[in-house]
Amino acid sequence: MINKERLLRDNRLCKAIIGLSVEELKNLAAEFSACYLIYRKKNRKDHERQMGAGQKGFIPTPLDKLLFILL
């Protein structure tokens, strides 16, 4: 089974599975994180709760979300 830590340690494995090197993935994750936060703030219309309130998702971090999308 592939886990995130193993994927981020092995550049060859990362390229084989998602087609990006570890450095490229980290750069993409930084951009994805910023865009995801802007998207979440922009699409909150007339919500009563604060950002981060409510039930937490099953995929905790933006990097995990990006890996889920790419896989």
Side-chain angles (χ1 to χ4, degrees), residues 3-60:
N3 61 17
K4 177 179 73 171
E5 290 78 24
R6 182 174 173 204
L7 189 67
L8 293 176
R9 277 194 318 254
D10 190 354
N11 197 34
R12 185 172 176 247
L13 180 66
C14 190
K15 272 197 171 218
I17 292 181
I18 60 173
L20 298 170
S21 68
V22 174
E23 184 178 327
E24 292 171 330
L25 178 63
K26 288 182 180 180
N27 290 337
L28 183 61
E31 289 291 322
F32 176 78
S33 179
C35 291
Y36 182 71
L37 183 61
I38 291 169
Y39 167 79
R40 291 224 20 224
K41 286 182 179 178
K42 183 179 177 183
N43 289 325
R44 293 184 55 86
K45 297 177 183 169
D46 301 325
H47 283 270
E48 293 178 10
R49 294 184 181 172
Q50 296 289 325
M51 282 283 285
Q55 185 176 6
K56 303 299 179 226
F58 293 110
I59 305 175

